[in-house]
Amino acid sequence: MTTSSIPPNTSPPADDMAFEDPSVYLDDPNRKLLEIDTDARQGPALFRWLTLGMEYLIGAILVALIVAVSSNVVGRAAFNVSLPWADELARMLFIWLVFIGAAAAFSRYEHIAVDALVRRLPLRVAHMLYLLQHMIITGLMVVMIWGGYQVLSRSSGRSAIMNIPLSLVSLSLVLCVIFIAAVSLWRMWVSVKVIRHPHRHSADPEGGR
């Protein structure tokens, strides 16, 4: 009878217990050139500053939204007094929060996407798909810009309680889609350069693999 060379109660080597780096599944090396990183100063300076500005604005809107909702809750629970303006303000702030948040998330590449295939493609082929993706996004944003302009130009109503122009609410959509369209155009330009010269614009030392 043979005995095992490793005692049964012996722990495996430390290397066998090491976990794989989760960034392997979270980061797509093929799209590094398309990302806007304010810390690493990657991407056009205008887009970086606008992204930071939107993130600060999101924080301010979120605080105002919490104050508006909380004041109405406290008023009803403690003083039996309803604040109709608080509900109306909360709805408007939430609309702005959604659209500004969508624009900031697009800039940071934080929208949900399935990139299991793209991350395994060669750099040049991956950017062909990125180019097609942002062409579709730009087309949709142009349609939404036109529709938003029509809404703004024909909107003359005001909110029932706070008397705020309703066009101010629609403005959040227009600003959001204009920013997304501008970032998409920049990413299309970068992808075209990568497609033409993939080795010159390699996103990582291994050529984007």
Side-chain angles (χ1 to χ4, degrees):
M1 182 176 64
T2 60
T3 58
S4 175
S5 59
I6 301 177
N9 295 328
T10 302
S11 300
D15 293 340
D16 295 339
M17 299 179 62
F19 294 101
E20 189 173 5
D21 186 359
S23 63
V24 175
Y25 303 100
L26 299 177
D27 297 332
D28 180 4
N30 284 334
R31 77 173 189 210
K32 286 294 184 182
L33 292 171
L34 305 180
E35 295 179 355
I36 297 174
D37 191 337
T38 56
D39 295 329
R41 296 185 178 181
Q42 179 176 328
L46 177 60
F47 292 160
R48 296 200 310 266
W49 284 107
L50 287 176
T51 300
L52 282 176
M54 286 188 294
E55 290 173 348
Y56 284 118
L57 179 59
I58 289 169
I61 292 175
L62 186 58
V63 171
L65 182 61
I66 293 174
V67 171
V69 174
S70 299
S71 61
N72 204 12
V73 172
V74 173
R76 290 175 180 174
F79 305 103
N80 198 25
V81 175
S82 178
L83 303 175
W85 61 267
D87 288 336
E88 186 173 89
L89 178 61
R91 286 194 296 269
M92 294 180 178
L93 290 174
F94 184 75
I95 293 173
W96 271 85
L97 183 66
V98 168
F99 287 114
I100 300 302
F106 183 82
S107 175
R108 295 283 192 180
Y109 247 117
E110 293 179 348
H111 284 288
I112 297 175
V114 180
D115 56 1
L117 172 63
V118 181
R119 67 169 59 245
R120 288 170 171 79
L121 293 175
L123 182 65
R124 191 174 191 177
V125 179
H127 277 269
M128 289 179 181
L129 293 181
Y130 286 133
L131 178 61
L132 176 60
Q133 173 194 28
H134 288 94
M135 287 177 62
I136 296 173
I137 292 174
T138 303
L140 292 175
M141 293 303 105
V142 170
V143 173
M144 293 181 69
I145 290 173
W146 175 250
Y149 170 76
Q150 295 295 322
V151 172
L152 286 177
S153 61
R154 299 176 183 178
S155 178
S156 58
R158 290 178 173 268
S159 62
I161 300 173
M162 302 181 66
N163 199 31
I164 296 177
L166 297 179
S167 58
L168 184 62
V169 180
S170 303
L171 181 62
S172 61
L173 168 64
V174 177
L175 294 177
C176 170
V177 297
I178 288 176
F179 179 79
I180 291 178
V183 174
S184 294
L185 289 172
W186 169 72
R187 287 175 175 165
M188 288 167 57
W189 176 67
V190 174
S191 291
V192 168
K193 292 198 302 180
V194 174
I195 293 170
R196 294 181 61 185
H197 307 286
H199 300 292
R200 185 185 304 174
H201 299 89
S202 178
D204 64 349
E206 297 183 357
R209 287 186 296 139

